Structure formats: structure tokens, C-alpha cells
Amino acid sequence: MKLLTDSGNQHALKAVIAANITGTELQIEEVDQASCSGQLPILELPSGKALFSANLTCRYLLGNKDADDFQVDEWLEWESSQLQPFLAPYLVTCIGQGKKDSALLAAVVPLLEHLDKALKDRQYIVGSSVTSADVVVWSALFPLYGDSSKLADELTRYSGIVDWFQNLSTHEAFKSAIATVTKGKGVSACKAGSTSSELSVSAEEVTAAISAFKDGKSPKPWIRTHPMFCRLRNWNTLYICGTDEYGTATETKALEEGLTPQQICDKYNKIHSEIYQWFEIGFDFFGRTTTPQQTEFLADRFVEGTCPLCNYDDARGDQCDKCGKLINATELKLEPALSAFLNTIYPTDDWSNNAKVITRSWVRDGLKPRCITRDLKWGTPVPLEGFTEKVFYVWFDAPIGYLSITANYTDQWEKWWKNPQQVTLYNFMAKDNVPFHSVVFPCSLLGAEDNYTLVNHLQATEYLNYEDGKFSKSRGVGVFGNNAKDTGIPADIYRFYLLFVRPESQDSTFSWEDFMTKNNSELLNNLGNFVNRALMFVSNFFQGVIPAVDVTEDDGQLLAQVNRELQAFIQCLEKVSWGGVGGGNQYIQGQKPWVLVKGNPGEKARAGTVIGLAANVACLLSVMVQPYMPATSNTIQQQLQAPAEVNILTDTFVCRLQAGHKIGKPSPLFQKIEASTMAELKKKFAGTQMERKEKGQKSKTAAPPVQNAAPVKVDQAEVDRLTAEVQKQGDAVRQLKTDKAEKKLVDAEVQKLIALKQQLAAAKGENPAEIIGGKGKKNKKGKK
Amino acid sequence: MAVGVEEEVKSLVNFLGLPAYKVTTHGDLKVPQLQTSNGRTLMGLATISKFLAKSSASNGAKLLGTSPEEHAEIAQWLEYRVTVVDRSVEKKDVQAMLKELNSYLLDKVYFLGFHLSLADLVIYHGLHPVMCQLNFYEKQQYQNVSRWFDQVQHYPGVQQHLPKVVFVRNSLYTSFDH
């Protein structure tokens, strides 16, 4: 385990002493407080999580031996919530700076008295041996009592504390910890006070960011295990999918369309495959289950096996040839194996919560026999005498498709599927498919006892609804994969939006209005705007060549922020973080390069730095969005003429585009989606119900057609100012409503808000008339 | 802000289905003290909360985590409640705290990931007065905290006597400067 700490931090003693006592190996890494977002010391746990509390770290490293002792709980809580708040300032001022301050001392006195009293005639704070209470309080007081030769009078009067402290100092674990943490320098090494945690970007963070950028090197890349990222992080990844073709549904559809099941499957496999291609889902191989390999896999493994009762090697079907007993192999043999497997899963975060919950409910009442065959024609025939008219139940055979499809792709399939030590397996699905992936299939694999790779990460989503109802192919409600292409909106936008509304812990909704808003605000106004601005500057003012970048403190702020976002992004793969973009836009705004370029050479150079940095941020963004919007990523990189090597994700922001690099032609990345387009699409995919609704409704006032003029020159400063005004006014209105102010007053302020919003729309070059009244308050009837 | 800490302890007792305990507060900081059935006294909110969870055989044990790591993690958040949350009174401290929590909660449903634990309950109570004071802009600014808070306050048996804090699902503000 690793302990991160800054130099001379007495709280590190808490951890080191504990580790010494239990003989736990603790690697100590010295870091700058500023480069960590949490308070040091921090303990990195084996699971990858971290503990930021020194006290709890101590307890943990002591093996939680005193976990049940409430007295220890009390002392730990006392130390953190009572002692530290007053001890820390005292240490800083009176010890660290040597200034006398009677008020600070007075605040500490009652606490020392309390401790002294508790230690009367005792060797240890709690019980008769060292507990974390001793270690924690001793460490906290080390800067005060650590140098026995220099004890101030106001401290020596607490004889209880002095004796207890000195006694513990003779313990080997304590002695050795002092040497380690203070590097042999004793009390003088301590910074005599905890630093206040600075949550805005700090000076050291800035320095670190600047040097990382200049060096172009990055420390060991973050080891994450998400397949979308694996390629960017240089992990060997295999992405497999396919159409699961057997089953009743296929037979039914075939009858409907007047084709054979085989023809139906051929048709839909092609359609699905094309849709995935359009969406740029980068499968290594998109296969199907109706292949010879599938039959082979099914037949080979699930018919031969070991009789659980007499260990006869060649048992088939449900009766062992040797001992003649009927085999209910699944639940007898597999339940313990499955439980063992699941017990490694439940305590972790590797599976999504719904997956764990669903699995638990299946397994809780014990595994029951399930019928694995069906009386159908379209399926893999059961290769057993007497069963040949039956086929395997589709959900029994489907998951084997993962293996057989891999086998269709490569004959080295065993390197993936029989290699649990080296392979991490991810399954992505909707929650209704969970039991087959979490119980049925693992059971089959476990039962085969052939070292199959089991699912390490099962990510199940909840349901995606459509507008205020559900998707329904039969009623024509909702936009489906094959419709998306025809809307003329690029795949990247759908990818972005679908990931944004991915129903992770609860159902979510696909809404056209939301879709339009996200495109127009997040993509067009935010990301697209930033990238385009940066590149236009390079193009217009620097002849399309990246200028020299001479990084200063100011720039350091941006760099440090970008690093923060980058690291958060790497940690949270499902959420796209636009922080770097917001910061980037602000940065350009603040530095005003359009003014600088017209100035003296010094100012021009400054402009060069600003724009060069901005271009590099744009490059970084193109890499970050790659898994989400590959086409956009590609476009940005084309416009930047960025070399292929930029496509590695490191955990600090480094300069990829050096001075002198020639970029390509900038051009807007995204198109605005107009409200009218959105309304059309909504209507198109509303199914037949919408038409009926419309007939019964009065038509709303139509907004005048938006001019499709050449792009209006936007005064960004004015837009920013009005945006702030709108927010302020919005808050004011809300406050009035909360305060239940007079209706006349509220209405007046609401009108002001609407007016501001219209001005803002005009400033942005949008149509102000689309800003119709607030949020449509319903009129309340009532007595006055 | 230890006002109402007696209520909070009562609320936890109810949630865990335990019989009532005698709770008093002490000193300026209103440190809670609980008297156990065998006459012992326990001092401090973190200590008391942990004790109550341990006392509740069925419900409580889960809330304390299932591994030494989880025990430690939960305990550190209890400590966070009494050291950071309760001491953040000034606006800038509150904002710093919310920003920190918002960042932490980005990829978690509950404090420990996917399951409710004592950490969620104790931080929920600690943050309640803060959340009541936030306007909708701020709630969106700290949207992970808001999401988590809404989740916890809806968990059966948690909210009890506390007023519900209102959150709006849709984004009201389109751009945020991070």
C-alpha cells in the first residue's frame, strides 16, 4: 500500500506507526500538498480507492483491531473535531512562528487538561495496550512534545501527558516512524501546522502544470479498465458483438415477411451491421450466432461432462452411462461455484448496481432447474438421441455467441475466452438481459470447468424512454437506429446525446427538445465555438502556423485547470467533462488576443502564446472526445493537421503542437439545430397518436421564419454580459417567488427577464421572437 | 451546525428500528451524548452513529460496510461530517466543501458507490441546512451533490421529519464556467 504525504507532516506518523506495529508494508511517497486535491496524508487502498483521513488510515493499518471499541471511537472523534481545530492554529503561530499568543494557548489548555486527566495513572489512553487512540493523539502532539529537551513550561505542567508521551516514544514502532517521517530531523522537520486545504488551483499546482506542459513528458498513464478507453491508453482490446438470431421471434417475423428464418436473419444482420457502421461503433467484429462455430461450441461442451456423482468422464444428457443416476448437474455442482464467483463481485463496484440486485434475486432462492430446450425448428439442434427434434433455448445458446463470433474472427479465441488471469471481460446490456449473463452463462462456463474467462464488469442500463412515453416500433413511436441516418443529423450528435442521457441508475428519456438544446449549447456554442475560435485565430493572425508558446503564471492557471479536468475525465469515463472547454473559452476571453496581435512585438508574442495554448487545448479535446464522437475528433485533427501520435491519453496536459506546426483550414464543427427542425422530427416520430392530438388543439402562434443569413458577427463580450444579466434576473425572480412577493412585483420582474432573454438571443444572432414567456405558469383560480 | 443534533440521533434511531435512547448535548459546540442501556455514555456524533448502527443487527450492519476498507471509508466520512461539514459556516467554506463533494460524487450513486451506508445518512443530515439555502443555480452547479441528496432523501425512512429539498431534473442553465 502507498501513503502519499508531504514532507514533515506529523499526521503521516499516524499511518507509519500503525504500519510498523502490524508489520504492514507501507510505501511512502512524498508529494506536494498542492498537487493533491485532498488533504495529505492519503492512503491508497488495494482496491484503488483512497482514504483521506489520517485517523482512519491509522485504524485501518492497525488491522481494525480496536474497531469495536467505542472509547477509541470517542478519542479519535475528539482528536479530529475538538483538538485539531484549536491545536493547528496554535502550532502554526506559537510553535512554527514562535510568536506568543495567549488567546491561542488559552484555547488549547482545556483540551490538554482533558487529556491529562484521562491519562492519570494510565499508560495508554484506552485499555492496557496501544490502540489507535494512542497513535493518533501522540502523533497530533508530536510537534509539541516531541523534543523532550525543549518543552515549554505551559506544556510540562501536564505530567500525565508528558509521561505517556515519553513512554510511547520509546516503543520501537514509534521511534522508527519518527525517523522515517522527519528523516531523522525530529520535531524541527514538522511544518508545525496543517495547511488549509486550498480548493481553487494553487500556486504549486500551477507550477507543476507549467513544467509538465513544457517537458512534454507524462508520468505513468492512468491505468483504467474501460474498453472504450483501452485503445487510447494502449491496452489490447477486443470489441465483439453480433446478432443473436435463433428463437421464436425470428420465426414469427419470418412468417410476417414471407421469408425463411435464414433470409430474415441475413437481412437484419446486414441492416444492424450497417447501422452500427453509420454510428461508428468500432467493433473488431460484428458477427452472428448462426454459424457452424456456434453449433460446434454448443454441441461439444454442453453434452459431454463429468457425472457429479461417480466422476465418470463421458456423461451425456441427463443420465450417466456408468452409474445410471439421473443428473441434475446444474444445481448440484454449480451452486457453490457460482456463489463463490458472485461473492467476489458483490462487494466491489465492478458491476452496476441493478445487475447485482437482479442477480441476487435470482440466486437467493437457490438455483432451480431450467429448461434449456424448446420445440422449435429454427435453432441449434440438440445433438442427443431422443432430443434431436428440439433446439436449444435461445438464451442458453446466445451468450455462447460471444465465443463463437470471436472464433469467427480469430482462431486465437482461447487467448481471450480461456484466459481469466490476463483478460478483463466487460458485458454491456440492458437490465432485462442481466440474469442470462450473470447466472445462466457463468454457470455454463463454470460447469465446463475449463478455465473460461468470466465477466468482470457487467454494466446494465435501465430503460430509455421516448418523449413522455415509450419507444414502440410497432406504433411508429420513437426514432430507431435505422431512422437516425435519414434525419440528416450526423451520427456524432446522436452518440453524444445518447451517452449524455444514458440511463445508468434510473430510466431516462430521449427528448428532441433536449437533443436540440444539447447540440446547440454544449456542442455548437461551447466545444465547437472554442475550437473554431482558436483555429480561426491561428489562421487569420498567424498565417495558419502555430506561434511560439512562452508559458507564464497566468497561463499556468489554465494549464492546471485542464489537468484537473483531464484527470477527472480519465477517472469518470461515462461522463464527458466540458470543464476544459469552459476554462478555455474564458481564457481566450480574458487574454484578448485580438487586441494583443495589434500591439507591439511583446504583445504580439503574448498573443502567440495564448493562441498556441488554445490550439493545444483544442488538440487535447479532440483526443478526449474520440471515444464519444470519432468523426468530430477526426475533423478537429484534420483541421489541426495533427499527427497520429497525439492520440494517446496521458494524465497531464502536454504540448503536442509545437511552434511552427502548420494547421489546416478551420471550419465550423457543428450545425445549429433549428427549433423548426426539432418540431418536424418530433412530429415524424410521434406515431399515429400525434396526428389525433393535433386536430384537437389550437395551433400555437408560429414564430416568423428564421433568416438563414450569413453568420452574424457575434460580440462575445456583449453575449457574456447579457448571459450574466439573465442569470442574475432569473435568480431575483426565483427569490421573489420563494418569498411569495406581490404578484405585480413578480410579474414586472418576469417581464424584465423575458426582455433580457430576448436581448441575449439577439446578441447571439438567434431569433428573439422564439423566446416566449417564462415557464408557462398555470393560472390559479382562487379567492383573493 | 449542531442545532438539532438530538433530532438527528432520534431520526437515526428510528431509521434503524431501535428503541429510544436518552440524548443530551454539551458545551458550546453542542456535542451529543448518548446513554446506553447499561449506563455507559458515548460522546460525539460519529461515535454515536456508529454505535447505533452496530446495535441494529439487521439494518445496521449493512450500513457499516462489509470489509475493513469499507469500514474505514464510512468512518472517514463520519469524521468529515464533524470536522468539515459542521464547521463550514462561511460562504466560501461551504462552497469549497460543496465543490469537493461534487467532484467526489461524480461517479457514485452513494458515498461508497452503489449502496447506501451510514456515510450517506450522516452527511445527508449535515448538509440538509446547506441544501435548503441553495438556489436553483447553485443546485445545478453542484449537480452531483444534488443528485445524491435527492436520491438519499427519497430512500425509505430517511427523510422523516426533515423538510424535502426541491430539485429540478432538467438543466435550467445551459452553460457553466467550471
Side-chain angles (χ1 to χ4, degrees):
Chain A
M1 274 183 280
K2 209 194 301 186
L3 185 78
L4 301 171
T5 180
D6 45 347
S7 165
N9 186 341
Q10 70 270 33
H11 300 284
L13 287 166
K14 296 170 179 174
V16 179
I17 295 171
N20 287 346
I21 291 176
T22 54
T24 310
E25 198 180 297
L26 190 66
Q27 190 199 341
I28 299 171
E29 188 175 301
E30 206 171 279
V31 292
D32 245 330
Q33 173 64 73
S35 62
C36 298
S37 53
Q39 186 71 23
L40 291 173
I42 292 175
L43 180 76
E44 284 185 357
L45 294 167
S47 67
K49 289 186 173 185
L51 284 180
F52 55 78
S53 157
N55 291 4
L56 275 316
T57 295
C58 171
R59 212 166 192 186
Y60 174 80
L61 288 171
L62 271 181
N64 279 330
K65 267 190 293 191
D66 49 36
D68 288 331
D69 195 327
F70 290 109
Q71 278 194 294
V72 174
D73 284 343
E74 283 180 319
W75 279 103
L76 260 49
E77 188 169 353
W78 175 84
E79 191 270 356
S80 62
S81 66
Q82 316 278 333
L83 181 64
Q84 283 298 333
F86 297 105
L87 182 62
Y90 176 72
L91 284 176
V92 171
T93 308
C94 302
I95 309 294
Q97 295 168 5
K99 293 188 206 156
K100 287 225 180 285
D101 188 327
S102 48
L104 288 178
L105 175 59
V108 171
V109 159
L111 297 159
L112 293 176
E113 275 175 1
H114 173 80
L115 177 63
D116 194 50
K117 207 163 135 201
L119 283 169
K120 197 106 202 119
D121 302 322
R122 295 186 64 86
Q123 261 203 314
Y124 304 100
I125 299 181
V126 178
S128 50
S129 60
V130 175
T131 61
S132 34
D134 295 293
V135 178
V136 162
V137 177
W138 185 95
S139 305
L141 294 178
F142 178 75
L144 278 187
Y145 285 92
D147 192 344
S148 47
S149 64
K150 281 200 199 140
L151 275 184
D153 288 334
E154 52 259 28
L155 300 176
T156 48
R157 43 191 286 233
Y158 302 108
S159 53
I161 298 180
V162 173
D163 292 341
W164 161 84
F165 189 93
Q166 284 175 353
N167 171 40
L168 286 176
S169 304
T170 60
H171 285 223
E172 202 42 59
F174 287 71
K175 271 202 295 202
S176 138
I178 297 174
T180 310
V181 173
T182 67
K183 299 199 195 103
K185 292 198 211 116
V187 176
S188 55
C190 291
K191 286 200 318 281
S194 50
T195 48
S196 55
S197 61
E198 191 94 85
L199 290 162
S200 58
V201 173
S202 67
E204 284 94 337
E205 232 177 304
V206 166
T207 317
I210 293 176
S211 68
F213 184 80
K214 284 184 178 164
D215 283 342
K217 279 179 275 194
S218 181
K220 160 172 85 89
W222 217 275
I223 297 176
R224 277 303 291 200
T225 52
H226 191 297
M228 281 205 280
F229 263 65
C230 295
R231 289 170 190 152
L232 276 178
R233 300 299 263 169
N234 267 331
W235 283 73
N236 191 11
T237 316
L238 181 67
Y239 196 14
I240 287 287
C241 189
T243 41
D244 154 37
E245 301 188 345
Y246 290 123
T248 331
T250 310
E251 285 198 357
T252 318
K253 190 79 179 165
L255 284 171
E256 234 178 76
E257 295 199 16
L259 298 168
T260 65
Q262 183 65 55
Q263 286 170 325
I264 283 284
C265 289
D266 291 343
K267 172 178 172 187
Y268 282 102
N269 176 273
K270 181 159 185 289
I271 291 177
H272 282 251
S273 189
E274 282 169 357
I275 292 174
Y276 283 121
Q277 272 172 36
W278 182 80
F279 274 99
E280 294 202 69
I281 310 284
F283 295 125
D284 287 295
F285 188 74
F286 185 80
R288 53 200 297 191
T289 53
T290 50
T291 64
Q293 280 87 346
Q294 180 77 351
T295 313
E296 210 179 286
F297 276 58
L298 268 174
D300 279 349
R301 286 173 32 245
F302 297 95
V303 179
E304 295 170 25
T306 311
C307 171
L309 300 155
C310 74
N311 278 319
Y312 176 57
D313 247 341
D314 204 24
R316 287 169 189 266
D318 60 2
Q319 189 174 29
C320 174
D321 292 339
K322 189 168 178 200
C323 70
K325 289 269 197 292
L326 292 168
I327 307 167
N328 263 332
T330 15
E331 77 269 37
L332 282 178
K333 229 168 97 183
L334 295 174
E335 203 153 341
L338 180 70
S339 295
F341 166 62
L342 290 176
N343 283 334
T344 65
I345 300 290
Y346 290 139
T348 68
D349 286 338
D350 295 340
W351 283 21
S352 57
N353 190 50
N354 50 4
K356 290 197 271 190
V357 167
I358 292 171
T359 304
R360 267 212 188 92
S361 62
W362 264 56
V363 171
R364 183 179 47 216
D365 304 323
L367 295 179
K368 303 267 187 296
R370 281 184 81 89
C371 194
I372 61 168
T373 63
R374 291 289 185 276
D375 292 312
L376 295 173
K377 296 261 176 297
W378 180 242
T380 309
V382 179
L384 247 192
E385 254 184 62
F387 287 88
T388 49
E389 291 299 298
K390 297 180 188 284
V391 298
F392 280 110
Y393 169 49
V394 61
W395 265 117
F396 185 75
D397 97 86
I400 300 169
Y402 296 127
L403 283 77
S404 76
I405 289 173
T406 308
N408 271 297
Y409 170 69
T410 168
D411 53 12
Q412 311 260 329
W413 64 273
E414 290 193 346
K415 290 212 171 116
W416 294 98
W417 289 101
K418 285 196 185 176
N419 194 358
Q421 301 305 325
Q422 292 186 303
V423 172
T424 309
L425 174 61
Y426 288 76
N427 284 160
F428 296 94
M429 68 197 74
K431 63 181 173 184
D432 53 349
N433 290 352
V434 167
F436 307 106
H437 287 81
S438 68
V439 179
V440 179
F441 193 47
C443 276
S444 307
L445 295 174
L446 287 166
E449 290 189 339
D450 210 356
N451 199 32
Y452 282 98
T453 311
L454 296 173
V455 56
N456 305 98
H457 296 266
L458 207 163
Q459 294 297 322
T461 54
E462 299 291 322
Y463 293 133
L464 180 69
N465 295 316
Y466 179 76
E467 297 291 352
D468 39 16
K470 299 208 177 286
F471 281 88
S472 165
K473 249 208 143 83
S474 54
R475 288 182 293 129
V477 177
V479 54
F480 289 86
N482 54 326
N483 308 123
K485 188 168 172 189
D486 300 331
T487 61
I489 295 170
D492 267 11
I493 317 295
Y494 282 101
R495 289 177 62 114
F496 174 75
Y497 183 66
L498 287 172
L499 281 164
F500 214 106
V501 297
R502 186 168 183 261
E504 285 170 25
S505 52
Q506 54 194 27
D507 293 354
S508 68
T509 305
F510 181 104
S511 142
W512 282 110
E513 177 118 23
D514 197 19
F515 183 82
M516 172 184 81
T517 310
K518 293 282 186 294
N519 177 75
N520 294 347
S521 63
E522 301 288 336
L523 296 179
L524 181 68
N525 288 347
N526 213 356
L527 176 63
N529 182 38
F530 172 70
V531 172
N532 194 242
R533 265 173 124 189
L535 269 57
M536 288 294 281
F537 264 113
V538 177
S539 189
N540 294 340
F541 291 107
F542 295 97
Q543 292 80 49
V545 175
I546 303 280
V549 172
D550 190 14
V551 174
T552 66
E553 278 299 305
D554 265 357
D555 308 319
Q557 283 282 330
L558 172 72
L559 291 179
Q561 270 178 329
V562 170
N563 276 334
R564 275 231 187 129
E565 293 296 339
L566 178 57
Q567 282 148 27
F569 176 70
I570 291 177
Q571 282 192 43
C572 313
L573 305 172
E574 313 282 57
K575 316 263 180 225
V576 186
S577 155
W578 293 130
V581 180
N585 263 324
Q586 261 186 326
Y587 174 70
I588 294 186
Q589 215 36 43
Q591 299 290 328
K592 300 198 195 319
W594 55 88
V595 171
L596 290 170
V597 283
K598 301 195 180 121
N600 60 45
E603 288 169 335
K604 277 211 187 108
R606 182 77 200 123
T609 296
V610 170
I611 294 306
L613 265 186
N616 270 283
V617 173
C619 185
L620 175 64
L621 285 167
S622 78
V623 179
M624 283 164 79
V625 302
Q626 213 189 83
Y628 302 96
M629 300 191 292
T632 306
S633 170
N634 212 23
T635 308
I636 300 176
Q637 290 185 7
Q638 287 264 1
Q639 294 187 12
L640 282 171
Q641 285 292 290
E645 297 82 64
V646 305
N647 289 310
I648 301 281
L649 207 57
T650 53
D651 49 351
T652 49
F653 175 37
V654 295
C655 181
R656 295 278 190 211
L657 304 172
Q658 307 284 353
H661 171 88
K662 184 132 180 58
I663 66 167
K665 187 168 184 310
S667 138
L669 292 173
F670 301 107
Q671 300 287 333
K672 186 165 182 219
I673 297 178
E674 302 295 345
S676 53
T677 313
M678 185 272 292
E680 261 176 50
L681 289 169
K682 200 166 165 180
K683 193 166 159 203
K684 182 173 176 192
F685 297 112
T688 50
Q689 300 161 327
M690 187 62 163
E691 291 167 16
R692 277 180 257 137
K693 240 192 199 169
E694 285 219 299
K695 283 187 187 150
Q697 239 185 14
K698 276 182 261 186
S699 56
K700 295 201 173 118
T701 337
V706 178
Q707 249 104 350
N708 256 330
V712 177
K713 185 148 189 269
V714 168
D715 180 352
Q716 192 61 35
E718 183 65 3
V719 169
D720 292 350
R721 182 188 73 80
L722 285 167
T723 309
E725 287 295 314
V726 166
Q727 280 169 0
K728 216 169 91 187
Q729 186 64 10
D731 282 356
V733 168
R734 261 173 258 289
Q735 192 57 47
L736 285 174
K737 290 185 180 172
T738 312
D739 294 342
K740 299 208 200 307
E742 236 191 53
K743 185 173 178 351
K744 261 190 274 182
L745 179 57
V746 175
D747 284 345
E749 294 300 314
V750 168
Q751 287 308 314
K752 268 195 214 160
L753 179 61
I754 295 175
L756 278 172
K757 283 189 177 174
Q758 286 176 331
Q759 283 175 42
L760 176 58
K764 283 189 185 170
E766 292 164 5
N767 186 354
E770 277 174 29
I771 312 294
I772 313 169
K775 285 208 333 234
K777 269 188 86 171
K778 295 196 179 86
N779 284 320
K780 287 193 188 147
K781 287 191 199 161
K783 297 181 200 159
K784 282 262 161 94
Chain B
M1 294 214 274
V3 176
V5 70
E6 289 171 18
E7 294 297 323
E8 180 178 340
V9 174
K10 254 191 232 162
S11 170
L12 185 57
V13 165
N14 287 340
F15 180 81
L16 293 167
L18 293 168
Y21 283 94
K22 180 156 186 261
V23 180
T24 48
T25 57
H26 294 260
D28 301 325
L29 295 172
K30 302 251 184 292
V31 180
Q33 189 173 56
L34 176 139
Q35 193 158 47
T36 68
S37 51
N38 48 19
R40 267 193 69 183
T41 54
L42 287 176
M43 190 96 154
L45 180 64
T47 305
I48 290 173
S49 303
K50 192 178 148 196
F51 165 78
L52 291 173
K54 274 220 164 120
S55 304
S56 166
S58 51
N59 305 327
K62 284 183 294 184
L63 294 177
L64 288 171
T66 53
S67 67
E69 276 196 13
E70 287 195 349
H71 295 324
E73 273 190 275
I74 290 170
Q76 86 172 350
W77 287 110
L78 300 188
E79 186 181 83
Y80 187 89
R81 158 70 197 276
V82 296
T83 55
V84 178
V85 181
D86 286 352
R87 285 184 177 273
S88 294
V89 178
E90 305 256 326
K91 184 111 185 148
K92 71 171 172 66
D93 293 331
V94 172
Q95 283 178 344
M97 168 187 69
L98 287 175
K99 192 167 170 201
E100 190 174 43
L101 290 175
N102 197 54
S103 176
Y104 177 78
L105 288 169
L106 180 59
D107 58 346
K108 295 174 184 64
V109 178
Y110 298 105
F111 265 80
L112 250 65
F114 292 107
H115 302 287
L116 186 85
S117 70
L118 192 60
D120 299 282
L121 297 176
V122 170
I123 304 277
Y124 161 76
H125 278 103
L127 280 186
H128 192 275
V130 169
M131 300 307 284
C132 283
Q133 297 296 319
L134 296 184
N135 59 40
F136 282 105
Y137 180 83
E138 288 165 319
K139 283 173 187 168
Q140 191 175 327
Q141 195 178 5
Y142 305 112
Q143 62 181 349
N144 301 317
V145 179
S146 296
R147 182 211 356 109
W148 163 81
F149 193 92
D150 202 28
Q151 181 93 2
V152 174
Q153 74 178 348
H154 279 100
Y155 196 98
V158 170
Q159 192 193 334
Q160 292 185 43
H161 66 282
L162 288 174
K164 180 169 250 134
V165 178
V166 178
F167 296 95
V168 175
R169 277 278 194 88
N170 310 311
S171 293
L172 299 170
Y173 302 94
T174 50
S175 72
F176 272 95
D177 293 322
H178 291 300

